[in-house]
Amino acid sequence: MTSEPSESGKSEGLRLKARLRYLYHGTQPAAVKFRLMVIVVDLIIIGFFLATPILKEAGWVFYVADYLIAAILGLDLAARAYAYSDIRDWLKKPIVWIDLFVLATLLFPVWLANLGFLRLLRFWSLLNSDLFWRTIGRRFDDTRVEEITRALAALITFVFVVTGFVYAYFRGKAEHIHGYLDALYFTVATLTTTGFGDITLPGNWGRVISIVVMLVGITLFIRLAQTLIRPHKVKFPCPTCGLQKHDPDAVHCKACGQILCIPDEGD
């Protein structure tokens, strides 16, 4: 008598898991539409993160919106985890831990207020997620468009994360940094090594941070320039040596000489 309810509950759980797997991993139009909706909601949430320095002045309204977004993000992460075949493999992904940290800053906005700028890592995780490239970017998978998008996402995320950090820790402490626009101006001027000098960070730590911003910024700019200029390579693993990328018109693997049969991009 007692086994029937448990079997029924197990069956319901399996149906829910199958439904979620269909929505998050399926290729049918309904699944694609669902993921498009998830991406749109993600972009709205990222917009909220960008506007956080201004919205914080709204008082309790900000915290209501904060917890509402936490609930949405928490449900999304729980559904993705349940839909995944092995949750332990899912937890091994760095993107997942970034999203979990973002969720923690939403659940504890007072205690983690100084780390709120890291919420903008959500933009990077979205544009590097399988969900995004299987939905919007599936036609651009393994193309120059994907490489440029990922490089641009890294650069934009870095700019706004550094801006948020400077705003959170140096507002009122550094001369001329009184608002978010001042922090953004400093970040862009430092990252591009323009160095106008009208806004600087105080002390030795300020100099260290400026150096790090310049070095990382230059690296990200170079990476973006490389994706725009260098010849595009397609992902086609060599069956002999395992080299992953080759020129689109390659006949032989440049590492081992194995004959390749790379399909045209339009096939």
Side-chain angles (χ1 to χ4, degrees), residues 1-152:
M1 294 291 292
T2 58
S3 62
E4 290 182 5
S6 62
E7 289 179 1
S8 176
K10 186 176 181 180
S11 177
E12 288 292 331
L14 290 174
R15 280 198 289 269
L16 176 60
K17 188 180 183 72
R19 180 65 178 171
L20 290 174
R21 283 184 63 83
Y22 163 76
L23 291 173
Y24 279 98
H25 302 285
T27 57
Q28 293 82 355
V32 173
K33 288 180 181 178
F34 170 80
R35 292 197 299 273
L36 280 173
M37 181 184 69
V38 171
I39 291 171
V40 169
V41 172
D42 264 336
L43 291 174
I44 293 173
I45 290 173
I46 292 166
F48 173 82
F49 293 160
L50 278 172
T52 291
I54 299 172
L55 295 176
K56 273 187 176 180
E57 299 176 1
W60 65 269
V61 176
F62 167 78
Y63 289 103
V64 169
D66 198 89
Y67 283 114
L68 178 61
I69 290 174
I72 294 172
L73 183 57
L75 287 172
D76 178 48
L77 288 174
R80 294 191 198 195
Y82 195 59
Y84 208 80
S85 55
D86 189 339
I87 192 170
R88 287 175 295 184
D89 288 340
W90 183 73
L91 287 172
K92 291 178 182 178
K93 297 183 175 184
I95 288 177
V96 172
W97 286 100
I98 289 173
D99 288 340
L100 288 173
F101 178 79
V102 171
L103 178 61
T105 65
L106 289 165
L107 292 173
F108 308 103
V110 176
W111 295 276
L112 298 177
N114 288 338
L115 297 177
F117 63 91
L118 292 175
R119 293 176 178 182
L120 289 168
L121 289 172
R122 178 73 178 179
F123 178 71
W124 179 86
S125 67
L126 172 63
L127 293 188
N128 282 273
S129 65
D130 291 337
L131 182 141
F132 178 84
W133 289 104
R134 280 188 285 103
T135 307
I136 292 179
R138 61 186 185 279
R139 71 177 68 179
F140 303 113
D141 187 32
D142 195 30
T143 64
R144 184 186 294 274
V145 173
E146 179 181 358
E147 293 181 357
I148 294 173
T149 302
R150 290 179 185 271
L152 196 58

Side-chain angles (χ1 to χ4, degrees), residues 106-248:
L106 289 165
L107 292 173
F108 308 103
V110 176
W111 295 276
L112 298 177
N114 288 338
L115 297 177
F117 63 91
L118 292 175
R119 293 176 178 182
L120 289 168
L121 289 172
R122 178 73 178 179
F123 178 71
W124 179 86
S125 67
L126 172 63
L127 293 188
N128 282 273
S129 65
D130 291 337
L131 182 141
F132 178 84
W133 289 104
R134 280 188 285 103
T135 307
I136 292 179
R138 61 186 185 279
R139 71 177 68 179
F140 303 113
D141 187 32
D142 195 30
T143 64
R144 184 186 294 274
V145 173
E146 179 181 358
E147 293 181 357
I148 294 173
T149 302
R150 290 179 185 271
L152 196 58
L155 179 59
I156 293 173
T157 301
F158 180 74
V159 168
F160 284 104
V161 166
V162 172
T163 298
F165 171 78
V166 171
Y167 178 77
Y169 287 95
F170 290 95
R171 183 182 56 163
K173 299 176 183 177
E175 189 177 0
H176 303 308
I177 297 183
H178 304 294
Y180 190 80
L181 187 59
D182 296 328
L184 179 60
Y185 170 78
F186 164 81
T187 301
V188 174
T190 305
L191 183 143
T192 57
T193 67
T194 304
F196 291 115
D198 52 342
I199 298 180
T200 57
L201 301 184
N204 291 330
W205 278 112
R207 292 184 178 90
V208 171
I209 292 168
S210 299
I211 291 170
V212 171
V213 171
M214 284 186 279
L215 292 176
V216 176
I218 290 171
T219 303
L220 293 175
F221 269 122
I222 291 174
R223 181 191 172 193
L224 179 59
Q226 286 177 335
T227 59
L228 292 169
I229 297 171
R230 71 185 178 188
H232 173 65
K233 294 182 181 294
V234 296
K235 188 174 182 181
F236 186 85
C238 174
T240 301
C241 69
L243 185 67
Q244 294 294 307
K245 291 194 173 183
H246 300 85
D247 295 327

